[in-house]
Amino acid sequence: MLAAMSPSPSPFEPAPVRAVRGRDDACPGALRLHAADDGALARVRVPGGLLSSDQVRVLADAATALGDGRLESTSRGNVQLRGLAADAGAELGARLRSAGLLPSDTHDRVRNIVASPLAGLPGAGADLRGWVRQLDELLQGSESARALSGRFLFALDDGTGDVAALDADVTLIAQPAGTALLRLGRAATAAPVADPVRAALAAAEAFVRLDSGSWRVREADPDGTLLAAALGLDPRPLPALPGTRPVVGEHDGALCVGLRFGRASAEQWRLLAATVDELRVTPWRGVVLPGADPARLPELAAAGLRTDPHSPWERATACTGSPGCAKSLADVRTEAAAALDATAGLAGLPVPPLLPVHWSGCERRCGHPVGEWVDVLATGDGYRISQLPGSATEVTNQQMAAAVAAARRTT
Ligand code: SF4
């Protein structure tokens, strides 16, 4: 089952900002741990979201031995461990290296590659795993790529428009015969390229040569004209894409399950690893299980994984909030989960498509979706709910569940 979304920049997105960064970004990695309120946090880059079952077991074991016993997926299809001791980096690094999850110390944080998670499966576009692995290798071999920010993102789209909508810095959209369209930042254009992966790397290296002091292409070159000229490209209007992304449940040739706000216990991850030989972490807090038997859906649901595409949990996200983040005005994940569980049982609620919804503990709105979405912001006294700029409603915690459900109605 697929949910429509637009690959184009949304009118609800903030205008591009020409930001010049005066310092190195603090984006965490596998070696550079972030000191969160609930302990150190490590982010493991997972290009294309591709994880073998053995790698999942290594991550689950590390989370159990070194962290809080859980793993969470990020909006870029990476995986995080939380609750680590401040000095856990060395042992974690050794575990990750042994599993092929830390192939380069110098390029760890720049291996941000998302790929269409259904690519190569029946009804989807071309298999992109070869592109993912080639781009990962080229990135690690590029000296200048070391200068990229840990926030710089590559998106490899199979032509369905799912990850093309993720506001990446460099996007490849697969075309017939192994070619692609290359989109730069938020450009409304894309250029045909015959050697897609090398073209994507060249775009990233050209961005480094701009020496703009910016972390993202959208900050230094919002319409991509500087980079297109530097690369000698001939951009054309971006074609309309189907704009589809997987929702949870059964697909042709795969199962897709959701993780509650992207987080799951080590035991839940081990169950996923026992289901397939290779899984794909999606940028939407879920996991695709290629070739999995649909008969396993009840077992996955019983283990607490999301498998119902008609649940209000679908397309619902939340920032870390308390107790993991000191900036948060509320334990947003606990309160959001209660609101979603409460509305799941209410009669008369609309069925999907519901607008995406995101809970935030402060104005930074970490991890919010792109496109049109419902913003639920903690105020300290309750929540402020906005569907569009300028239409905010203040509610108490008790009123929040019904107010969010109403705001998500699309008709
Ligand atoms: S949105 Fe605010 S409260 Fe939530 S994780 Fe980000 S900084 Fe913390």
Side-chain angles (χ1 to χ4, degrees):
M1 188 174 297
L2 300 167
M5 64 189 297
S6 167
S8 302
S10 161
F12 303 107
E13 281 300 291
V17 177
R18 283 184 181 273
V20 175
R21 311 294 188 176
R23 58 181 176 78
D24 187 21
D25 73 285
C27 199
L31 298 171
R32 179 194 283 193
L33 306 189
H34 166 71
D37 263 26
D38 58 348
L41 177 155
R43 183 171 300 159
V44 182
R45 263 61 182 189
V46 184
L50 301 172
L51 283 174
S52 70
S53 54
D54 286 343
Q55 289 175 323
V56 173
R57 291 187 192 96
V58 167
L59 287 167
D61 290 348
T64 303
L66 307 175
D68 66 2
R70 292 181 289 186
L71 296 168
E72 60 186 17
S73 66
T74 74
S75 59
R76 292 164 165 214
N78 293 318
V79 172
Q80 292 183 167
L81 296 90
R82 305 188 70 100
L84 299 162
D87 62 355
E91 182 171 351
L92 176 64
R95 287 173 182 249
L96 296 177
R97 282 187 200 96
S98 73
L101 290 164
L102 182 55
S104 167
D105 287 8
T106 54
H107 291 69
D108 171 39
R109 298 186 311 135
V110 304
R111 299 169 63 235
N112 295 303
I113 305 171
V114 294
S116 299
L118 295 179
L121 297 172
D127 192 336
L128 298 178
R129 289 176 292 180
W131 282 9
V132 169
R133 291 177 177 128
Q134 185 189 0
L135 179 55
D136 190 19
E137 287 174 10
L138 289 177
L139 258 179
Q140 292 177 50
S142 168
E143 187 61 25
S144 66
R146 292 176 60 175
L148 292 171
S149 157
R151 300 161 199 265
F152 195 93
L153 179 65
F154 296 88
L156 310 185
D157 192 291
D158 67 353
T160 56
D162 55 359
V163 299
L166 291 181
D167 205 15
D169 296 280
V170 175
T171 301
L172 288 177
I173 302 166
Q175 301 291 291
T179 65
L181 294 173
L182 174 67
R183 182 187 183 200
L184 301 164
R186 289 180 171 174
T189 57
V193 287
D195 191 345
V197 175
R198 290 189 189 281
L201 179 70
E205 292 177 332
F207 176 72
V208 172
R209 285 197 299 276
L210 284 182
D211 197 21
S212 64
S214 301
W215 294 336
R216 305 295 307 274
V217 169
R218 69 182 186 230
E219 297 165 348
D221 188 17
D223 56 7
T225 52
L226 294 177
L227 289 176
L231 296 165
L233 297 175
D234 179 22
R236 298 148 195 198
L238 193 65
L241 298 173
T244 55
R245 67 177 231 195
V247 295
V248 300
E250 185 177 346
H251 293 257
D252 193 0
L255 298 179
C256 181
V257 301
L259 315 178
R260 287 188 158 215
F261 296 139
R263 212 175 284 191
S265 69
E267 277 312 303
Q268 289 173 314
W269 282 95
R270 289 189 188 102
L271 175 61
L272 293 170
T275 307
V276 289
D277 293 333
E278 181 183 72
L279 57 76
R280 304 178 185 181
V281 181
T282 79
W284 305 288
R285 309 299 203 268
V287 174
V288 168
L289 305 169
D293 185 348
R296 300 202 72 158
L297 273 176
E299 178 189 5
L300 296 169
L305 298 161
R306 296 195 302 103
T307 61
D308 178 7
H310 302 295
S311 161
W313 276 89
E314 191 64 5
R315 308 178 85 192
T317 53
C319 80
T320 299
S322 302
C325 179
K327 292 188 176 69
S328 186
L329 297 174
D331 182 354
V332 288
R333 288 193 171 181
T334 298
E335 291 169 3
L340 291 167
D341 284 339
T343 53
L346 290 180
L349 278 175
V351 295
L354 299 173
L355 284 176
V357 59
H358 183 75
W359 277 263
S360 301
C362 81
E363 302 268 359
R364 286 186 64 181
R365 296 176 170 83
C366 298
H368 72 76
V370 297
E372 191 177 358
W373 54 285
V374 173
D375 177 41
V376 188
L377 179 67
T379 62
D381 296 323
Y383 285 87
R384 182 182 307 134
I385 301 173
S386 311
Q387 183 176 343
L388 298 173
S391 64
T393 305
E394 304 265 351
V395 296
T396 65
N397 284 10
Q398 291 69 33
Q399 297 166 327
M400 189 253 288
V404 168
R408 296 184 72 189
R409 292 189 179 100
T410 55
T411 55

